[in-house]
Amino acid sequence: MNQIKFKIRRYSSATDTAPYWQTFSVETEPGMTVLQGLQQIRERLDATLAWRHSCRMGVCGSCAMIINSEPQLACNTQIQNLSAQMITLEALWNFPVAKDLVPDLMPMFEKHRDIAPYLIRDGGDLPKPGESELRQSPEELNEFLQFSSCIKCGACMAACPTLANDPHFLGPMPLTATHRYNSDSRDTGFSKRKEKMDGHHSIAHCHYAAECTRVCPKGVDPARAIQLMKRDLVLDLFHFSRRSPAQPCDTCATVDHDSLKAPVFTAREKN
Ligand code: SF4
Ligand code: FES
């Protein structure tokens, strides 16, 4: 057994006027996670400590918090891998705090709702009359597959410097969801989502810090999704869709559309 300190930023929106730090001693053993350390504190030292978790296996996304100044999943972070005698814990940055390590995620989910995060089909429900199923090729699946791994944990939102300076910025999670559906061959909702993509607090405001991609616990690349949407907006400006052959108007007929289809490098390549 090894004793280490958990230094936790505590706050209750119901009773406290300001946050404060409290330190607890935790008995650790190899393989123990930060989440298990929190459970030990609640069972042995302070039953009022609040955080959120459910699956304990990196799937539900509810235990995301700031661990030693990095947004991470508490259930997926082993204490020994932090190589520290003191672990600091805070609720996710860039969100209001409900209590202790519990952020209020409603601003993120309201933005997510606003971008229409579902398949939109011209003419109504899925599938269209006469279609028994909506088939996709492996290539079409790969267009959006990695973006569909998002578990809505909010770690990318906490890491985003643009969101830190502009609370109205849509942020990496809702923008990744936007691209996930725009790039699905079964979806025809680009024009419906375009207003959100093109708005003042949207993709043009991204400075490409790529912190979202660096911290994502599921290997999603939100920075790449945002760059791809910038490309899609330019293509749309020239009356050209990635999904259909070029149909430029007379004004745009001289544009080299193939050059607009050049691959966008990924934030992971950048880093
Ligand atoms: S993109 Fe990654 S970090 Fe952001 S909400 Fe989804 S899973 Fe979490
Ligand atoms: S408890 Fe579900 S991701 Fe950590």
Side-chain angles (χ1 to χ4, degrees):
M1 287 282 184
N2 185 25
Q3 289 251 349
I4 71 159
K5 303 286 187 198
F6 272 36
K7 185 181 175 188
I8 302 175
R9 191 171 194 258
R10 305 202 59 179
Y11 175 72
S12 168
S13 56
T15 56
D16 295 329
T17 53
Y20 61 96
W21 291 91
Q22 193 171 11
T23 303
F24 301 91
S25 287
V26 174
E27 291 181 357
T28 67
E29 53 189 39
M32 192 168 158
T33 63
V34 170
L35 178 60
Q36 288 172 306
L38 288 170
Q39 287 170 321
Q40 186 185 116
I41 292 171
R42 190 148 72 186
E43 285 165 12
R44 299 183 189 173
L45 303 172
D46 189 340
T48 68
L49 181 63
W51 72 89
R52 190 187 282 131
H53 79 276
S54 179
C55 71
R56 296 178 291 176
M57 54 193 288
V59 173
C60 73
S62 58
C63 70
M65 58 185 69
I66 305 297
I67 303 174
N68 284 355
S69 302
E70 285 279 319
Q72 303 179 68
L73 298 179
C75 71
N76 208 28
T77 304
Q78 292 198 14
I79 292 171
Q80 64 188 10
N81 291 346
L82 294 171
S83 302
Q85 286 306 304
M86 170 86 81
I87 294 174
T88 59
L89 300 173
E90 302 167 66
L92 285 181
W93 297 326
N94 298 338
F95 291 99
V97 178
K99 188 168 190 292
D100 299 336
L101 302 172
V102 180
D104 177 1
L105 297 177
M106 277 311 291
M108 176 175 78
F109 287 119
E110 284 170 355
K111 292 171 184 173
H112 182 242
R113 178 199 59 204
D114 289 349
I115 60 89
Y118 42 79
L119 291 181
I120 296 172
R121 296 279 291 171
D122 284 341
D125 292 335
L126 298 169
K128 282 180 177 174
E131 291 175 330
S132 59
E133 60 181 328
L134 296 168
R135 299 174 70 92
Q136 285 187 309
S137 67
E139 292 74 24
E140 288 171 331
L141 177 66
N142 277 336
E143 285 284 316
F144 68 86
L145 186 60
Q146 77 115 311
F147 304 113
S148 66
S149 299
C150 173
I151 56 174
K152 319 289 184 281
C153 69
C156 55
M157 305 286 278
C160 176
T162 305
L163 190 60
N165 287 295
D166 175 10
H168 299 294
F169 178 57
L170 277 179
M173 188 285 269
L175 287 172
T176 299
T178 307
H179 184 66
R180 178 259 174 269
Y181 287 98
N182 282 345
S183 55
D184 190 316
S185 60
R186 299 165 295 180
D187 182 87
T188 55
F190 181 88
S191 57
K192 178 177 168 70
R193 300 187 191 98
K194 193 166 77 170
E195 187 186 348
K196 285 286 177 189
M197 295 160 62
D198 218 2
H200 180 60
H201 303 287
S202 192
I203 59 176
H205 209 32
C206 168
H207 300 163
Y208 202 36
E211 282 293 284
C212 48
T213 296
R214 188 180 66 79
V215 303
C216 176
K218 303 306 287 184
V220 180
D221 194 343
R224 175 175 169 80
I226 294 170
Q227 303 317 303
L228 288 169
M229 279 192 290
K230 288 178 181 173
R231 180 186 68 174
D232 291 346
L233 277 180
V234 171
L235 289 170
D236 183 70
L237 188 67
F238 291 119
H239 311 282
F240 181 73
S241 161
R242 276 190 301 128
R243 295 220 200 110
S244 57
Q247 298 290 335
C249 65
D250 290 346
T251 312
C252 302
T254 56
V255 173
D256 177 2
H257 289 91
D258 284 339
S259 70
L260 296 173
K261 292 169 73 178
V264 175
F265 69 86
T266 71
R268 293 196 187 283
E269 287 165 355
K270 178 191 175 202
N271 292 326

